[in-house]
Amino acid sequence: MLALALAGCSRRGEIDPTGGIVSVRSACPTAAIPAQTGDITLFSPAGSTDASAIDVVANITDLRSTCAESDQFYTEATFTVNARRSDASAARQVILPYFSVVVRGGNAVVAKRLGQVTLNFAAGEYRASAQAKAGAYVDKAAATLPADIQTKITQKRKAGDADAAIDPFAQPDVKAALQRTSFELLVGFNLTQEQLKYNATR
C-alpha cells in the first residue's frame, strides 16, 4: 500500500499503521544547484584558461531552503559562497553574479532573476565567504494535483483486486500530472559561455 501526501511543505516519510510506505511529495519548489553552475573561476588576464592564470575560484555550498504556505507557496533558498584568490597582497572586493530560476516539470523556465554576491578579501587573506539568498513564489493551484489524480494515487488496494499490482505512478496521466505540478528553484553562478565550457571540460 503506497500513500502520497499531495500538498504542503515537505516532511519525512514514514511507515503507516498498516505497514504501508508513506511517500511524501512537496508542493513547494525544491532548491538545487544545476550541474556545472556551482563553481566559477576568474582568470588574469581574462580569456586565459592556464592554471598559472587562475585569479579567483569560488563555489556555492550549504544550500538550504524553507517553505511558507499562504495563497502561494514561497521557497527561500540561502547559500554560502566560498572563494579563494591567488594574490593576497592587498584588500580586494570581488562581486560575482548568480541566477535563480523557477523550473516547471523539469524543463520549462517560468521565472528568472539575477543577483550578486560580494566577497571582501582582507589584506593578506587568501579566502573569503559571503551569504546570499533567492526566493520563488508558486501558485498553489498550479502546484497541487487535481482531485481525480489524488484519488487514483491514494485509493486503498487489496490483494486480489484487479489493480492491486498496478503502480499508480506508472500510469501516463498520473506521471503527466506529477510533472506538470512539480517545481524547482535552481540557483547557480550566472556564467558566461566560456566559463560554462571551462567547468564542463576541466
Side-chain angles (χ1 to χ4, degrees):
M1 179 62 195
L2 183 64
L4 183 68
L6 297 166
C9 297
S10 61
R11 65 177 190 274
R12 286 187 178 274
E14 57 186 16
I15 303 298
D16 73 12
T18 69
I21 299 172
V22 178
S23 177
V24 180
R25 174 186 181 271
S26 173
C28 291
T30 56
I33 302 170
Q36 314 299 343
T37 68
D39 300 271
I40 188 170
T41 303
L42 306 182
F43 292 90
S44 181
S48 174
T49 56
D50 292 338
S52 60
I54 291 177
D55 181 24
V56 176
V57 176
N59 65 84
I60 295 174
T61 187
D62 198 26
L63 179 67
R64 302 173 183 268
S65 64
T66 58
C67 178
E69 177 182 351
S70 56
D71 294 336
Q72 297 176 305
F73 292 114
Y74 175 69
T75 292
E76 182 173 271
T78 59
F79 55 94
T80 300
V81 175
N82 294 320
R84 184 182 73 255
R85 61 175 176 166
S86 299
D87 181 0
S89 58
R92 181 183 175 189
Q93 185 177 85
V94 176
I95 299 175
L96 300 175
Y98 68 89
F99 68 84
S100 61
V101 297
V102 178
V103 177
R104 184 177 191 176
N107 56 19
V109 175
V110 296
K112 180 176 181 178
R113 291 184 178 179
L114 298 178
Q116 293 181 327
V117 58
T118 301
L119 296 151
N120 291 300
F121 292 91
E125 294 293 331
Y126 285 93
R127 298 179 182 274
S129 295
Q131 306 296 315
K133 64 181 180 179
Y137 287 95
V138 171
D139 184 72
K140 187 181 294 185
T144 302
L145 287 170
D148 61 325
I149 299 295
Q150 294 186 36
T151 299
K152 182 174 291 190
I153 293 173
T154 60
Q155 66 182 349
K156 292 185 180 298
R157 296 171 175 82
K158 297 180 180 179
D161 288 350
D163 62 351
I166 299 175
D167 179 3
F169 297 103
Q171 298 180 47
D173 57 339
V174 174
K175 291 173 67 174
L178 286 169
Q179 182 176 25
R180 188 170 57 250
T181 56
S182 296
F183 291 83
E184 295 175 288
L185 173 60
L186 303 181
V187 177
F189 286 115
N190 198 44
L191 304 173
T192 65
Q193 287 298 318
E194 291 74 18
Q195 289 170 333
L196 189 59
K197 181 179 179 181
Y198 176 79
N199 282 358
T201 58
R202 63 181 174 174

